[in-house]
Amino acid sequence: MSRPRSEPVRLVLAGAGHAHLEVLRRLAEERPAGVEVTVVSAEPRHFYSGMVPGLVAGQYGEGEIAFELRPLVERAGGRFVVERVTGVEAAARRLRLAGGGEIDYDLVSFNLGSSPSAAGVPGAREHATSIKPLSRALELRRRLRALAAEGRGRVVVVGAGAAGVEIALAAAAVLGAGEGEGRVALVEAADAILAGYPPRFRARAEAVLARRGVKVLAGSPVAGVGRERLTLADGRELPAQLTLWLVGAAAPDAFRGSGLPLDPRGFLLVDDRLRSPGDPAVFGVGDCATLVDYPDTPKAGVYSVRQGPVVAAGLLAAVRGEPGPRYRPQRGFLSILNTGDGRALASYKCLVMYGRSAWRLKDRIDRRFMRRYQSLYAG
C-alpha cells in the first residue's frame, strides 16, 4: 500500500454477507490500530439465508432471522453506509455508489452475493419475483398469505436447486397444499432436480415434494413469463399468480469495467488467499467470487461462512503487509433442507435422513449462527 504509515489504512467491506459478519466480529474483538473501517451495504439489516425458507413458511418471525447491521459495524469501530455499490475503479482504488457518491480504499473486500440469472427469458425480469435481496422474503410471505386467503392462487418456482426446493415447500405450507392439488409447481430446465446431490437424496426429495402437493416439471426450460402465466419451451402453459425465479447465479454488475480479472460469467476471480490475482488490494468472498483453482465451487452460503475466518485473517495480515492464510473449499458438507412442515431432509456423504430430528438439528445450527453475531451488540 502506497499511503504513508502515519495515515490509517482505509479498509472497505463492500457487502455484508456471511463472510463479512465474521470480519466484523474479528474487528470488534481486536480493534486494530491504524485501520479506518467502512462497511457499504445495500440493506440495513442482515437476513440469514439459512432461515429464510422458515420465515416464508411461518416457522420464524422476522426478529429471529434478521438483525441490524449498524450496531455490529459500530462495535467494530467502523462507519456504516447504506448504499449499493455500482462500480469499481481498481486503478484509482475507488468504489462508485448508486446515489452518486464515491468511497476510496486501500484495501477492499467484496461480499456482494449474486442474483438469479434471468438472461434471455422474455418477461422474467418484469413478471417474476426473486427473493434477493433476502429482505424480499417478507413481501413473499405476505403475498403467499394473500393467495392462501383467496384460496385460488397458483405458484410456480423456477429453479430446482436447494433454494428452489425449500421455497416451493414453504409455499406449499402457506397455501395448505396437499398431495395431488398442484397449487405449487417446481420447474427445472435440467433433467433432474437438486443437481450435484446424491441420487438417494434427490429421490427422497421428489417423494417429499409429491406428498406435499408440489408438481415437479424437470427437463422443462422456460420460454417466457407473463403476468399470470408461464410458458415452457415445449409450448405448455402454467397458470401462475406468482412466479418465483431462483435460477442460477448472475454476477454483480459492479465488476464490469473494473479492470479486475473476472471469470467468463463476470464473477470476481480470487486466489487461494481470497485475493484478486490482478490486484493485491482486492479480496472477494461468497457468491460474488470464483476461486481460480476451484472454479466449480458452488455458489452456496456454506462456503461463504467457511471463508469468513480466512478473509478476516487475510485482511488483518494485509494491513500489516503480511500474507494471509490459504483457503481450500471443503470437499463435502452437511446439507439440510427445510421442508416447511417441522421436518427437514438431510444429506451427509452417503447418509440421507428425513424427519423432525433433522429439522431440530438444522434449527439448532441456524440459531447458533445468529447468536454468534447478535451477541456482538447485545452484550
Side-chain angles (χ1 to χ4, degrees):
M1 287 170 288
S2 59
R3 288 169 65 79
R5 284 185 174 273
S6 59
E7 296 186 24
V9 175
R10 297 168 300 185
L11 169 60
V12 177
L13 303 181
H18 301 335
H20 278 178
L21 293 182
E22 182 60 21
V23 177
L24 288 172
R25 189 189 70 82
R26 182 81 176 267
L27 289 169
E29 284 185 350
E30 299 191 14
R31 296 298 289 266
V35 180
E36 180 184 277
V37 179
T38 300
V39 179
V40 187
S41 171
E43 298 288 320
R45 291 180 294 172
H46 177 89
F47 280 74
Y48 179 45
S49 61
M51 300 173 81
V52 162
L55 174 75
V56 174
Q59 296 166 315
Y60 297 119
E62 180 180 352
E64 293 177 281
I65 80 157
F67 50 79
E68 297 290 330
L69 288 165
R70 188 176 298 278
L72 273 69
V73 176
E74 292 177 349
R75 184 72 178 269
R79 175 174 69 109
F80 186 48
V81 178
V82 183
E83 270 275 23
R84 183 169 59 88
V85 176
T86 57
V88 183
E89 298 175 20
R93 293 190 173 176
R94 181 176 298 127
L95 304 182
R96 297 194 304 273
L97 306 180
E102 297 177 339
I103 294 179
D104 295 327
Y105 64 83
D106 298 308
L107 286 172
V108 63
S109 180
F110 293 101
N111 193 191
L112 298 173
S114 63
S115 57
S117 176
V121 181
R125 295 187 185 279
E126 295 81 5
H127 302 298
T129 299
S130 169
I131 60 169
K132 291 187 176 182
L134 295 176
S135 56
R136 290 183 181 177
L138 296 168
E139 173 63 15
L140 172 57
R141 183 175 66 176
R142 186 196 67 77
R143 291 184 65 181
L144 285 170
R145 288 177 174 178
L147 289 174
E150 294 173 8
R152 66 174 186 87
R154 292 292 186 272
V155 175
V156 176
V157 179
V158 182
V165 169
E166 285 190 299
I167 292 298
L169 289 166
V174 176
L175 295 176
E179 187 169 2
E181 289 193 22
R183 296 186 67 186
V184 180
L186 180 61
V187 176
E188 171 58 45
D191 291 335
I193 68 172
L194 294 170
Y197 282 84
R200 285 184 58 217
F201 186 81
R202 293 202 303 268
R204 195 65 182 271
E206 289 171 353
V208 172
L209 288 161
R211 187 162 61 250
R212 298 285 304 287
V214 177
K215 183 178 182 180
V216 175
L217 298 169
S220 302
V222 176
V225 181
R227 193 176 213 175
E228 292 195 354
R229 193 164 298 275
L230 183 140
T231 304
L232 302 179
D234 62 7
R236 286 178 294 171
E237 292 189 339
L238 303 177
Q241 279 68 52
L242 177 60
T243 298
L244 302 174
W245 199 264
L246 286 85
V247 176
D253 293 337
F255 297 137
R256 294 179 183 173
S258 65
L260 295 168
L262 309 178
D263 77 0
R265 296 185 295 165
F267 292 97
L268 180 69
L269 282 172
V270 295
D271 60 20
D272 61 357
R273 298 187 194 274
L274 304 178
R275 216 162 182 171
S276 169
D279 189 339
V282 175
F283 289 72
V285 287
D287 287 4
C288 75
T290 294
L291 293 159
V292 172
D293 294 331
Y294 305 95
D296 296 327
T297 302
K299 305 291 185 184
V302 65
Y303 293 98
S304 184
V305 170
R306 296 285 185 90
Q307 289 171 354
V310 178
V311 74
L315 287 167
L316 291 173
V319 169
R320 300 188 299 267
E322 302 169 357
R326 298 181 186 274
Y327 168 77
R328 183 173 181 175
Q330 61 269 37
R331 302 183 72 176
F333 57 90
L334 173 65
S335 179
I336 311 179
L337 305 188
N338 181 359
T339 56
D341 58 350
R343 298 176 177 85
L345 183 60
S347 172
Y348 184 69
K349 296 184 178 179
C350 297
L351 176 66
V352 175
M353 180 174 65
Y354 170 66
R356 297 189 184 279
S357 58
W359 159 250
R360 287 193 293 269
L361 175 60
K362 175 174 174 54
D363 181 61
R364 185 161 63 249
I365 292 171
D366 289 343
R367 290 184 184 275
R368 184 175 60 199
F369 177 90
M370 291 294 290
R371 285 195 301 270
R372 181 178 180 85
Y373 301 104
Q374 287 173 324
S375 65
L376 286 179
Y377 62 88

